[in-house]
Amino acid sequence: MDNFFFHTPTKVYFGKDEELKVGKLIREYNAKKVLIHYGGGSQEKSGLLSKVRKCLKEEGISYVELGGVKPNPELSLVREGIKLCKEEGVDFILAVGGGSVLDSTKDIANGVANPDVDVWEFSLGTKSPEKTLNKGVILTLAAAGSEMSNSCVITDLDNNDKRGYGSQMNRMDFAIMNPELTYTVSKYQTACGAVDIAMHTMERYFCLGEDTYLTDSIAEAVMKSAIKSGMDAYNNPTDYAARANMMWASSLAHNGLTQCGRTFLLTVHQFEHEVSGMYPDVAHGAGLAALWCSWARYVYKASIDRFCQWAKNVWNVDTDFEHKEACIEKAINMQEDYYKKLGMPTNLKELNVKEEDLETLALKCSRNKTRTLPGYMPLSYENILDIYKMAYNA
Protein backbone atom coordinates (compact mmCIF):
# COMPACT_ATOMS: atom_id res chain seq x y z
CA MET A 1 0.00 0.00 0.00
CA ASP A 2 1.40 3.39 -1.06
CA ASN A 3 1.70 6.34 1.30
CA PHE A 4 -1.32 8.64 1.05
CA PHE A 5 -2.87 11.87 2.32
CA PHE A 6 -6.61 11.80 3.00
CA HIS A 7 -8.48 14.94 4.00
CA THR A 8 -12.15 15.66 3.29
CA PRO A 9 -13.18 18.75 5.24
CA THR A 10 -16.58 19.24 3.58
CA LYS A 11 -19.51 19.21 5.99
CA VAL A 12 -22.40 17.16 4.61
CA TYR A 13 -26.06 17.90 5.41
CA PHE A 14 -27.99 14.99 3.91
CA GLY A 15 -31.73 14.39 3.63
CA LYS A 16 -35.13 15.93 3.09
CA ASP A 17 -35.52 19.71 3.51
CA GLU A 18 -31.87 20.22 4.45
CA GLU A 19 -31.67 23.03 1.88
CA LEU A 20 -33.80 25.17 4.20
CA LYS A 21 -30.77 25.48 6.50
CA VAL A 22 -28.67 27.25 3.89
CA GLY A 23 -29.01 30.77 5.30
CA LYS A 24 -27.99 29.72 8.79
CA LEU A 25 -25.08 27.69 7.44
CA ILE A 26 -23.71 30.59 5.42
CA ARG A 27 -24.15 32.89 8.41
CA GLU A 28 -21.60 30.71 10.27
CA TYR A 29 -18.93 31.96 7.84
CA ASN A 30 -19.73 35.62 8.61
CA ALA A 31 -20.55 36.18 4.96
CA LYS A 32 -21.50 39.71 4.00
CA LYS A 33 -22.43 39.11 0.37
CA VAL A 34 -23.11 35.87 -1.49
CA LEU A 35 -22.91 34.96 -5.16
CA ILE A 36 -25.67 32.47 -6.01
CA HIS A 37 -24.28 30.53 -8.97
CA TYR A 38 -26.42 28.17 -11.06
CA GLY A 39 -27.08 26.81 -14.52
CA GLY A 40 -30.26 27.23 -16.58
CA GLY A 41 -33.85 27.88 -15.62
CA SER A 42 -34.64 24.57 -13.92
CA GLN A 43 -33.76 25.79 -10.43
CA GLU A 44 -36.01 28.81 -10.92
CA LYS A 45 -38.89 26.67 -12.20
CA SER A 46 -38.57 24.22 -9.34
CA GLY A 47 -38.79 27.01 -6.78
CA LEU A 48 -35.40 26.15 -5.28
CA LEU A 49 -33.87 29.54 -6.03
CA SER A 50 -36.84 31.26 -4.37
CA LYS A 51 -36.21 29.17 -1.25
CA VAL A 52 -32.53 30.11 -1.28
CA ARG A 53 -33.28 33.82 -1.62
CA LYS A 54 -35.79 33.63 1.23
CA CYS A 55 -33.31 31.84 3.50
CA LEU A 56 -30.61 34.44 2.84
CA LYS A 57 -32.99 37.34 3.41
CA GLU A 58 -34.11 35.84 6.73
CA GLU A 59 -30.48 35.91 7.87
CA GLY A 60 -29.91 39.43 6.55
CA ILE A 61 -27.36 38.27 3.97
CA SER A 62 -27.06 40.23 0.72
CA TYR A 63 -26.61 38.38 -2.56
CA VAL A 64 -26.08 38.70 -6.29
CA GLU A 65 -26.72 36.02 -8.89
CA LEU A 66 -24.98 34.54 -11.91
CA GLY A 67 -26.65 31.82 -13.97
CA GLY A 68 -25.76 30.33 -17.33
CA VAL A 69 -23.41 27.48 -16.40
CA LYS A 70 -23.36 24.87 -19.18
CA PRO A 71 -22.68 21.12 -18.91
CA ASN A 72 -18.99 21.66 -19.70
CA PRO A 73 -18.37 24.82 -17.62
CA GLU A 74 -16.73 27.56 -19.64
CA LEU A 75 -13.75 29.72 -18.83
CA SER A 76 -15.53 32.80 -20.19
CA LEU A 77 -18.29 32.52 -17.55
CA VAL A 78 -15.69 31.93 -14.85
CA ARG A 79 -14.02 35.20 -15.83
CA GLU A 80 -17.40 36.93 -15.76
CA GLY A 81 -18.03 35.54 -12.28
CA ILE A 82 -14.65 36.71 -11.00
CA LYS A 83 -15.32 40.21 -12.30
CA LEU A 84 -18.79 40.28 -10.72
CA CYS A 85 -17.50 39.08 -7.34
CA LYS A 86 -14.80 41.75 -7.27
CA GLU A 87 -17.21 44.51 -8.22
CA GLU A 88 -19.83 43.43 -5.66
CA GLY A 89 -17.50 42.54 -2.80
CA VAL A 90 -18.65 38.90 -2.69
CA ASP A 91 -17.06 36.85 0.09
CA PHE A 92 -19.03 33.57 -0.24
CA ILE A 93 -20.20 31.60 -3.27
CA LEU A 94 -23.19 29.26 -3.18
CA ALA A 95 -23.45 26.72 -6.00
CA VAL A 96 -26.99 25.56 -6.76
CA GLY A 97 -26.79 22.69 -9.21
CA GLY A 98 -24.58 19.78 -10.23
CA GLY A 99 -20.94 19.19 -11.06
CA SER A 100 -20.63 21.84 -13.75
CA VAL A 101 -21.94 24.57 -11.43
CA LEU A 102 -19.64 23.30 -8.71
CA ASP A 103 -16.55 23.41 -10.92
CA SER A 104 -17.39 26.90 -12.13
CA THR A 105 -17.89 27.95 -8.50
CA LYS A 106 -14.53 26.55 -7.44
CA ASP A 107 -12.67 28.31 -10.24
CA ILE A 108 -14.39 31.62 -9.55
CA ALA A 109 -13.58 31.33 -5.82
CA ASN A 110 -9.93 30.63 -6.61
CA GLY A 111 -9.75 33.41 -9.16
CA VAL A 112 -11.16 36.02 -6.78
CA ALA A 113 -8.87 34.98 -3.94
CA ASN A 114 -5.73 34.96 -6.12
CA PRO A 115 -6.15 38.20 -8.11
CA ASP A 116 -2.57 38.31 -9.37
CA VAL A 117 -2.88 35.00 -11.24
CA ASP A 118 -4.76 34.34 -14.48
CA VAL A 119 -7.28 31.69 -13.44
CA TRP A 120 -6.61 29.53 -16.54
CA GLU A 121 -3.08 28.91 -15.24
CA PHE A 122 -4.61 26.75 -12.51
CA SER A 123 -6.16 24.52 -15.17
CA LEU A 124 -2.91 24.37 -17.13
CA GLY A 125 -0.99 23.41 -13.99
CA THR A 126 1.47 26.28 -14.27
CA LYS A 127 0.18 27.86 -11.04
CA SER A 128 -1.64 26.58 -7.96
CA PRO A 129 -4.24 28.53 -5.96
CA GLU A 130 -2.92 29.56 -2.55
CA LYS A 131 -6.21 30.93 -1.22
CA THR A 132 -9.92 30.64 -1.99
CA LEU A 133 -13.28 32.06 -0.99
CA ASN A 134 -15.63 30.16 1.30
CA LYS A 135 -18.15 28.20 -0.73
CA GLY A 136 -21.02 25.75 -0.36
CA VAL A 137 -23.42 23.83 -2.57
CA ILE A 138 -27.02 22.74 -2.73
CA LEU A 139 -26.66 19.66 -4.92
CA THR A 140 -29.35 18.97 -7.52
CA LEU A 141 -27.65 16.24 -9.57
CA ALA A 142 -25.82 13.11 -8.43
CA ALA A 143 -22.97 12.55 -10.86
CA ALA A 144 -19.64 14.36 -10.70
CA GLY A 145 -18.92 14.00 -6.97
CA SER A 146 -17.50 17.50 -7.10
CA GLU A 147 -19.34 18.33 -3.89
CA MET A 148 -16.65 16.49 -1.91
CA SER A 149 -13.74 16.29 -4.36
CA ASN A 150 -10.63 18.43 -4.69
CA SER A 151 -10.97 18.59 -8.47
CA CYS A 152 -12.13 21.27 -10.88
CA VAL A 153 -12.62 20.89 -14.65
CA ILE A 154 -13.02 23.90 -16.95
CA THR A 155 -13.31 24.28 -20.74
CA ASP A 156 -11.64 27.00 -22.81
CA LEU A 157 -13.86 27.11 -25.89
CA ASP A 158 -11.48 29.43 -27.74
CA ASN A 159 -8.95 26.57 -27.96
CA ASN A 160 -11.26 23.57 -27.47
CA ASP A 161 -9.26 22.67 -24.36
CA LYS A 162 -10.82 20.97 -21.34
CA ARG A 163 -8.51 20.77 -18.34
CA GLY A 164 -8.85 19.61 -14.78
CA TYR A 165 -6.75 20.39 -11.71
CA GLY A 166 -6.66 19.19 -8.14
CA SER A 167 -6.20 21.40 -5.10
CA GLN A 168 -7.31 21.45 -1.48
CA MET A 169 -8.57 24.95 -2.30
CA ASN A 170 -11.26 23.21 -4.38
CA ARG A 171 -12.89 21.60 -1.34
CA MET A 172 -16.38 22.88 -0.56
CA ASP A 173 -17.03 24.10 2.98
CA PHE A 174 -20.40 22.37 3.04
CA ALA A 175 -22.65 20.31 0.80
CA ILE A 176 -26.42 20.14 1.21
CA MET A 177 -27.75 16.95 -0.35
CA ASN A 178 -31.50 16.36 -0.51
CA PRO A 179 -32.19 13.40 -2.83
CA GLU A 180 -35.67 14.77 -3.57
CA LEU A 181 -34.06 17.64 -5.47
CA THR A 182 -32.91 15.11 -8.09
CA TYR A 183 -36.38 13.72 -8.85
CA THR A 184 -36.81 15.96 -11.90
CA VAL A 185 -33.44 15.08 -13.45
CA SER A 186 -34.03 13.64 -16.94
CA LYS A 187 -33.50 9.97 -17.65
CA TYR A 188 -30.55 10.85 -19.87
CA GLN A 189 -28.80 12.93 -17.21
CA THR A 190 -29.60 10.29 -14.59
CA ALA A 191 -27.89 7.71 -16.81
CA CYS A 192 -24.90 9.99 -17.40
CA GLY A 193 -24.64 10.45 -13.64
CA ALA A 194 -24.74 6.72 -12.98
CA VAL A 195 -21.86 6.21 -15.43
CA ASP A 196 -19.76 9.01 -13.97
CA ILE A 197 -20.25 7.92 -10.34
CA ALA A 198 -19.17 4.33 -10.93
CA MET A 199 -16.36 5.47 -13.23
CA HIS A 200 -14.76 7.70 -10.60
CA THR A 201 -14.19 4.65 -8.43
CA MET A 202 -13.65 2.15 -11.24
CA GLU A 203 -10.80 4.26 -12.60
CA ARG A 204 -9.14 4.41 -9.18
CA TYR A 205 -9.62 0.65 -8.85
CA PHE A 206 -7.58 0.07 -12.02
CA CYS A 207 -4.74 2.40 -11.04
CA LEU A 208 -1.42 0.96 -9.88
CA GLY A 209 -1.35 -0.31 -6.30
CA GLU A 210 -0.99 -3.51 -4.36
CA ASP A 211 -2.20 -4.94 -1.02
CA THR A 212 -5.09 -2.48 -0.79
CA TYR A 213 -7.79 -5.02 0.03
CA LEU A 214 -9.66 -2.68 2.40
CA THR A 215 -9.71 0.13 -0.18
CA ASP A 216 -10.67 -2.46 -2.82
CA SER A 217 -13.62 -3.67 -0.75
CA ILE A 218 -14.90 -0.12 -0.26
CA ALA A 219 -14.46 0.59 -3.97
CA GLU A 220 -16.32 -2.57 -5.00
CA ALA A 221 -19.23 -1.68 -2.70
CA VAL A 222 -19.41 1.84 -4.16
CA MET A 223 -19.34 0.49 -7.73
CA LYS A 224 -22.07 -2.06 -7.05
CA SER A 225 -24.23 0.51 -5.26
CA ALA A 226 -23.79 3.03 -8.08
CA ILE A 227 -24.75 0.41 -10.68
CA LYS A 228 -27.89 -0.64 -8.79
CA SER A 229 -29.06 2.80 -7.66
CA GLY A 230 -28.40 4.30 -11.08
CA MET A 231 -30.55 1.72 -12.81
CA ASP A 232 -33.28 1.96 -10.15
CA ALA A 233 -33.39 5.77 -10.41
CA TYR A 234 -33.41 5.52 -14.22
CA ASN A 235 -36.44 3.23 -14.10
CA ASN A 236 -38.22 5.05 -11.26
CA PRO A 237 -37.17 8.71 -10.98
CA THR A 238 -38.95 9.28 -7.63
CA ASP A 239 -37.52 6.24 -5.84
CA TYR A 240 -36.10 7.98 -2.76
CA ALA A 241 -33.89 5.05 -1.75
CA ALA A 242 -32.36 4.89 -5.23
CA ARG A 243 -31.79 8.65 -5.42
CA ALA A 244 -30.36 8.74 -1.89
CA ASN A 245 -27.93 5.88 -2.43
CA MET A 246 -26.92 7.29 -5.80
CA MET A 247 -26.26 10.72 -4.29
CA TRP A 248 -24.14 9.35 -1.44
CA ALA A 249 -22.25 7.07 -3.85
CA SER A 250 -21.45 10.14 -5.94
CA SER A 251 -19.71 11.77 -2.98
CA LEU A 252 -17.83 8.68 -1.82
CA ALA A 253 -16.69 7.82 -5.34
CA HIS A 254 -14.76 11.07 -5.78
CA ASN A 255 -13.72 12.30 -2.32
CA GLY A 256 -10.48 10.28 -2.30
CA LEU A 257 -11.65 7.40 -0.12
CA THR A 258 -11.58 4.79 -2.88
CA GLN A 259 -8.00 5.59 -3.94
CA CYS A 260 -6.25 5.39 -0.54
CA GLY A 261 -2.98 3.51 -1.00
CA ARG A 262 -3.23 3.47 -4.80
CA THR A 263 -1.66 5.65 -7.50
CA PHE A 264 -4.20 8.21 -8.73
CA LEU A 265 -4.97 9.09 -12.32
CA LEU A 266 -8.40 8.91 -13.96
CA THR A 267 -7.09 7.59 -17.28
CA VAL A 268 -10.32 7.28 -19.28
CA HIS A 269 -11.31 10.71 -17.97
CA GLN A 270 -8.24 12.05 -19.76
CA PHE A 271 -9.52 10.52 -23.00
CA GLU A 272 -13.01 11.89 -22.45
CA HIS A 273 -11.91 15.42 -21.58
CA GLU A 274 -10.48 15.75 -25.07
CA VAL A 275 -13.70 14.48 -26.65
CA SER A 276 -16.03 16.87 -24.81
CA GLY A 277 -13.44 19.63 -25.13
CA MET A 278 -13.59 19.33 -28.92
CA TYR A 279 -17.32 18.48 -28.92
CA PRO A 280 -18.83 20.62 -26.12
CA ASP A 281 -22.32 19.13 -26.56
CA VAL A 282 -21.07 15.71 -25.45
CA ALA A 283 -22.17 14.96 -21.89
CA HIS A 284 -19.27 13.79 -19.74
CA GLY A 285 -20.94 10.55 -18.61
CA ALA A 286 -21.92 9.66 -22.17
CA GLY A 287 -18.35 10.20 -23.32
CA LEU A 288 -17.03 7.92 -20.58
CA ALA A 289 -19.48 5.18 -21.53
CA ALA A 290 -18.40 5.41 -25.17
CA LEU A 291 -14.75 4.96 -24.22
CA TRP A 292 -14.36 2.74 -21.18
CA CYS A 293 -15.02 -0.70 -22.64
CA SER A 294 -12.59 -0.14 -25.50
CA TRP A 295 -9.93 0.99 -23.03
CA ALA A 296 -10.57 -2.08 -20.86
CA ARG A 297 -10.32 -4.48 -23.80
CA TYR A 298 -7.05 -2.84 -24.84
CA VAL A 299 -5.28 -2.95 -21.46
CA TYR A 300 -6.69 -5.84 -19.41
CA LYS A 301 -4.02 -8.37 -20.38
CA ALA A 302 -1.48 -6.21 -18.55
CA SER A 303 -3.47 -6.71 -15.33
CA ILE A 304 -5.24 -10.06 -15.54
CA ASP A 305 -5.58 -10.61 -11.79
CA ARG A 306 -7.00 -7.16 -11.04
CA PHE A 307 -9.56 -7.35 -13.85
CA CYS A 308 -10.45 -10.87 -12.75
CA GLN A 309 -11.03 -9.61 -9.19
CA TRP A 310 -13.32 -6.90 -10.58
CA ALA A 311 -15.22 -9.42 -12.71
CA LYS A 312 -15.84 -11.65 -9.69
CA ASN A 313 -16.56 -9.07 -6.99
CA VAL A 314 -18.52 -6.49 -9.01
CA TRP A 315 -20.24 -8.51 -11.73
CA ASN A 316 -20.39 -11.87 -9.90
CA VAL A 317 -18.65 -13.74 -12.71
CA ASP A 318 -17.55 -17.18 -11.54
CA THR A 319 -13.81 -17.01 -12.08
CA ASP A 320 -12.95 -20.26 -10.32
CA PHE A 321 -13.74 -22.69 -13.11
CA GLU A 322 -13.27 -20.68 -16.27
CA HIS A 323 -10.39 -19.23 -18.25
CA LYS A 324 -9.47 -15.88 -16.70
CA GLU A 325 -9.49 -13.92 -19.95
CA ALA A 326 -12.92 -15.29 -20.85
CA CYS A 327 -14.21 -14.18 -17.43
CA ILE A 328 -12.85 -10.68 -17.93
CA GLU A 329 -14.33 -10.40 -21.40
CA LYS A 330 -17.67 -11.55 -20.00
CA ALA A 331 -17.58 -8.85 -17.30
CA ILE A 332 -16.64 -6.13 -19.81
CA ASN A 333 -19.58 -7.25 -21.96
CA MET A 334 -21.83 -7.02 -18.90
CA GLN A 335 -20.59 -3.49 -18.23
CA GLU A 336 -21.29 -2.62 -21.88
CA ASP A 337 -24.79 -4.11 -21.71
CA TYR A 338 -25.46 -2.05 -18.60
CA TYR A 339 -24.59 1.12 -20.49
CA LYS A 340 -26.92 0.10 -23.32
CA LYS A 341 -29.78 -0.48 -20.86
CA LEU A 342 -29.25 3.06 -19.60
CA GLY A 343 -29.45 4.38 -23.15
CA MET A 344 -25.77 5.33 -23.09
CA PRO A 345 -23.49 5.22 -26.15
CA THR A 346 -20.85 2.50 -26.34
CA ASN A 347 -18.82 3.96 -29.21
CA LEU A 348 -17.72 7.38 -30.45
CA LYS A 349 -19.80 7.21 -33.61
CA GLU A 350 -22.92 7.47 -31.46
CA LEU A 351 -21.58 10.81 -30.19
CA ASN A 352 -21.08 12.05 -33.77
CA VAL A 353 -17.32 12.21 -33.33
CA LYS A 354 -15.64 12.46 -36.73
CA GLU A 355 -13.10 9.81 -37.68
CA GLU A 356 -10.74 12.46 -39.02
CA ASP A 357 -10.59 14.03 -35.53
CA LEU A 358 -9.19 10.93 -33.82
CA GLU A 359 -5.55 11.85 -34.44
CA THR A 360 -6.16 15.35 -33.08
CA LEU A 361 -7.79 13.87 -29.98
CA ALA A 362 -4.78 11.58 -29.46
CA LEU A 363 -2.35 14.45 -29.92
CA LYS A 364 -4.20 16.57 -27.38
CA CYS A 365 -4.50 13.72 -24.90
CA SER A 366 -0.77 12.94 -25.20
CA ARG A 367 0.07 16.66 -25.02
CA ASN A 368 1.48 16.53 -28.54
CA LYS A 369 3.28 13.22 -27.90
CA THR A 370 5.03 14.48 -24.75
CA ARG A 371 2.83 12.68 -22.18
CA THR A 372 2.46 8.98 -21.46
CA LEU A 373 -0.49 8.04 -19.27
CA PRO A 374 0.75 5.75 -16.47
CA GLY A 375 -0.92 2.51 -15.45
CA TYR A 376 -0.59 -1.25 -15.64
CA MET A 377 -0.06 -0.56 -19.34
CA PRO A 378 1.52 2.90 -19.91
CA LEU A 379 -0.22 4.61 -22.82
CA SER A 380 1.80 6.69 -25.30
CA TYR A 381 0.39 8.62 -28.26
CA GLU A 382 0.24 5.47 -30.41
CA ASN A 383 -1.65 3.52 -27.73
CA ILE A 384 -4.03 6.41 -27.12
CA LEU A 385 -4.78 6.65 -30.84
CA ASP A 386 -5.39 2.88 -31.00
CA ILE A 387 -7.95 3.16 -28.18
CA TYR A 388 -9.74 6.09 -29.81
CA LYS A 389 -9.94 4.03 -33.01
CA MET A 390 -11.29 1.02 -31.10
CA ALA A 391 -13.89 3.23 -29.44
CA TYR A 392 -14.87 4.68 -32.80
CA ASN A 393 -15.30 1.28 -34.47
CA ALA A 394 -16.81 -0.57 -31.46
Side-chain angles (χ1 to χ4, degrees), residues 2 99 154 175 194 203 216 228 303 332:
D2 294 339
I154 301 295
E203 293 243 68
D216 290 353
K228 173 177 168 47
S303 183
I332 294 172

Side-chain angles (χ1 to χ4, degrees), residues 84-264:
L84 177 62
C85 287
K86 289 178 178 178
E87 291 174 348
E88 295 289 340
V90 166
D91 56 1
F92 191 103
I93 306 181
L94 177 67
V96 182
S100 296
V101 176
L102 272 155
D103 284 358
S104 187
T105 293
K106 292 176 180 183
D107 217 30
I108 292 171
N110 293 339
V112 174
N114 301 270
D116 296 329
V117 180
D118 176 31
V119 71
W120 185 239
E121 292 193 64
F122 300 145
S123 295
L124 293 177
T126 55
K127 294 285 179 66
S128 297
E130 297 179 358
K131 296 178 290 184
T132 191
L133 293 188
N134 289 121
K135 49 195 176 290
V137 58
I138 299 176
L139 192 65
T140 63
L141 174 65
S146 193
E147 64 276 3
M148 287 188 75
S149 81
N150 71 344
S151 66
C152 174
V153 182
I154 301 295
T155 299
D156 176 8
L157 282 182
D158 291 339
N159 297 294
N160 288 326
D161 279 337
K162 184 175 179 179
R163 295 287 178 263
Y165 68 98
S167 168
Q168 284 301 106
M169 298 299 105
N170 289 333
R171 300 285 190 183
M172 306 302 289
D173 290 295
F174 67 75
I176 295 173
M177 295 190 278
N178 177 358
E180 291 181 323
L181 298 179
T182 67
Y183 282 179
T184 57
V185 173
S186 70
K187 290 177 78 72
Y188 183 76
Q189 286 300 328
T190 296
C192 287
V195 173
D196 199 14
I197 293 167
M199 192 73 70
H200 280 145
T201 283
M202 191 152 53
E203 293 243 68
R204 288 171 164 89
Y205 190 81
F206 289 112
C207 285
L208 292 171
E210 303 299 332
D211 301 320
T212 57
Y213 51 81
L214 174 56
T215 297
D216 290 353
S217 296
I218 295 170
E220 289 159 3
V222 170
M223 283 186 276
K224 292 172 72 172
S225 295
I227 289 167
K228 173 177 168 47
S229 61
M231 183 60 74
D232 288 347
Y234 181 81
N235 290 326
N236 183 2
T238 58
D239 181 338
Y240 184 84
R243 291 293 189 182
N245 280 281
M246 186 177 178
M247 184 171 266
W248 188 225
S250 170
S251 297
L252 296 184
H254 204 24
N255 71 357
L257 179 65
T258 59
Q259 74 191 49
C260 289
R262 305 188 64 77
T263 301
F264 174 59

